[in-house]
Structure formats: structure tokens, C-alpha cells
Amino acid sequence: MPTEPLLLQERHALILQRLQTDGRVLAPDLAQWLQVSEDTIRRDLRDLAAAGLCQKVYGGALRMPLPAAPGGTPAQRRSAQADRKARLAAAAAPCVAPGSVVFIDAGSTNLAIAQALGEARLTVITNAPAIAAALVDKPLIELIVIGGRIHAETGASIGATALRELEPISCDLYILGACGVDAQAGVSAIHFEEAEFKRRVAALSRSVLVATTSDKVGTAAPYAVLPAASLTKLIAEHDIDARQFDAFAARGVRVLRAAKP
């Protein structure tokens, strides 16, 4: 608690520090902590959101997802946190029912899920060449690839051609790759076209599953995909924040924890 009034830059620095530690901040709590009005805090949060340093939500703000390393490619992201993603995949793979039609979205955790699928008969649809390559030699999987230009950062087709090819599709399960996951802000994506594509697949699917590492929980990317209540299952790491666990569960989402290391 400050002993004297803080400068604007000092307030912003303290707010960002709290965001980095807790993943979220609430305007009334910040106002009390920093001994300023809630209107002042709301202006501070608007300024920080405009600078791309947080995501403003009703009553407070959320930490932005950690960016990929400069120049990071999809291949480089796949090699990061491999053990953590393998544990998430082991928890998610049993959620895929034999004989079902599953859409597996792009993403390194989703690739781990594809690799963890057993020998059951499935139809798998994907817009990610890396996921298609992981499944092409599985004899019981009927593989359908959504095409079009590959978006370099996501490693997937997400443009107009891909959207057109979705039209005849109906899925039992959508394994959605999320950039931000929060009980209040829902599921979000970094790119506009990516969010649009994910929303369309979700609309064509009977259930939606997200598997995510802890660094994405309690964060919000710029473009909304789905409200939290639209998720069927959330596969989280064993140390998911208890507040997030309870808030997702209260919205009807089944939250499953991956095994401890």
C-alpha cells in the first residue's frame, strides 16, 4: 500500500506487476490498494489495454497471453513444454469416443492429442498439416484435411477457402486450440481470421474441448471465440488456479486435471 500519491507510470507498473502475478485484477481491489478512485483505475486499465498490455473486461482486466519467442515458428512451439503437453494429451485422448467425428484444431497441444489417439476407428478433420501428418499412417482413422492458404503463424488454413470447405461438416467433438482461456472472458484467439474460423467450427460441433497449459489460463487474447459456458470440457494442468476451476465448473464446464509431473 503506497504511503504517498503515486505517479501515473508508477501506478501502471504496479498494476502490470499484479497482472503478471495473479493473471487478473479487479478495479475495486486496485483502487483500495493504490488509494485512488475506481474511475482512476478504470482509466488506467483502458490506457494499458489500448497499449496492448492487458485485456479490459467488465470490472477489471486480464493478463495477455505470453507471446511466442521472436521468430518462433509452429515447429519451435511444438518442441516447447513437450512434457506438459504430453500430460494434457494423455488426459484429453480418452475424451475422444470411438466411431466419432472429431475436428482437431491447430496447435502444439492439439498435435500432442492427435499423437496420443489410440487405434479406435475415427473420422478426424483438421486444418493443420502437422496434425494431418501425425495421423496419416493410422489405418483406422479416416482423415479429412481442410485446405487453402496456410497461415504462417498458426500453421493452419483459416481463410475464406477453409471456411467454405467447412459447410458440409458436422462434428461430434471439436478440440479447439485456444490462445487465451478465462472463465469470464471465455476462449479467445490472437488473430481475427483465426477467431472467425474457430467460431464456425464450434457452431458445427456438438461438443467443444480445450486443453491448455497453465500460462494461458486467466488470460484473454484480442479476439473472442466462445464464452466459457459454451465449452463442454476443459483439460487443465494439475495446478490450475482454484478460482478458475470453480468459475468454469459453475458455468457447467467439466474441468479435468492432467497428471502431476
Side-chain angles (χ1 to χ4, degrees):
M1 181 181 296
T3 57
E4 58 185 44
L6 296 169
L7 298 173
L8 175 67
Q9 292 85 350
E10 292 174 321
R11 280 202 317 273
H12 285 187
L14 287 170
I15 292 170
L16 290 172
Q17 184 180 48
R18 179 67 67 88
L19 270 170
Q20 186 58 37
T21 301
D22 296 344
R24 58 169 55 220
V25 291
L26 298 175
D29 293 345
L30 288 176
Q32 183 177 11
W33 180 48
L34 299 175
Q35 298 182 355
V36 295
S37 70
E38 288 189 35
D39 284 341
T40 296
I41 293 298
R42 282 192 284 269
R43 286 195 297 271
D44 288 344
L45 296 179
R46 283 197 296 269
D47 291 344
L48 292 170
L53 299 174
C54 71
Q55 178 75 13
K56 183 77 172 66
V57 297
Y58 181 77
L62 299 172
R63 180 182 62 205
M64 296 292 282
L66 295 174
T73 65
Q76 290 169 329
R77 292 195 294 274
R78 288 195 291 272
S79 65
Q81 305 174 333
D83 290 345
R84 295 167 64 185
K85 293 169 185 177
R87 287 190 290 273
L88 288 167
C95 299
V96 179
S100 59
V101 178
V102 184
F103 193 108
I104 304 182
D105 205 1
S108 52
T109 300
N110 286 356
L111 174 61
I113 294 172
Q115 292 167 334
L117 292 177
E119 298 303 319
R121 190 175 299 279
L122 295 169
T123 298
V124 175
I125 308 165
T126 187
N127 60 330
I131 289 173
L135 297 174
V136 70
D137 291 328
K138 290 182 179 286
L140 296 182
I141 291 182
E142 180 181 1
L143 181 62
I144 299 171
V145 180
I146 299 296
R149 185 178 67 87
I150 300 297
H151 187 268
E153 290 184 47
T154 62
S157 298
I158 56 175
T161 300
L163 283 170
R164 283 196 301 271
E165 293 185 5
L166 288 177
E167 290 312 309
I169 287 172
S170 177
C171 303
D172 297 303
L173 174 65
Y174 177 27
I175 300 178
L176 191 162
C179 300
V181 182
D182 180 77
Q184 181 175 335
V187 178
S188 51
I190 291 175
H191 303 286
F192 176 82
E193 283 187 326
E194 180 186 20
E196 181 182 26
F197 183 88
K198 292 174 190 293
R199 283 194 298 271
R200 184 58 186 151
V201 180
L204 297 169
S205 303
R206 295 181 181 86
S207 59
V208 181
L209 178 152
V210 167
T212 183
T213 49
S214 294
D215 55 322
K216 294 181 180 179
V217 178
T219 72
Y223 299 105
V225 177
L226 291 175
S230 294
L231 284 183
T232 308
K233 292 179 182 176
L234 174 65
I235 312 296
E237 294 190 89
H238 73 281
D239 59 351
I240 181 175
D241 183 274
R243 294 169 298 178
Q244 287 283 327
F245 184 103
D246 292 342
F248 272 104
R251 288 163 170 79
V253 182
R254 186 181 178 194
V255 186
L256 303 176
R257 287 187 171 96
K260 293 182 180 180

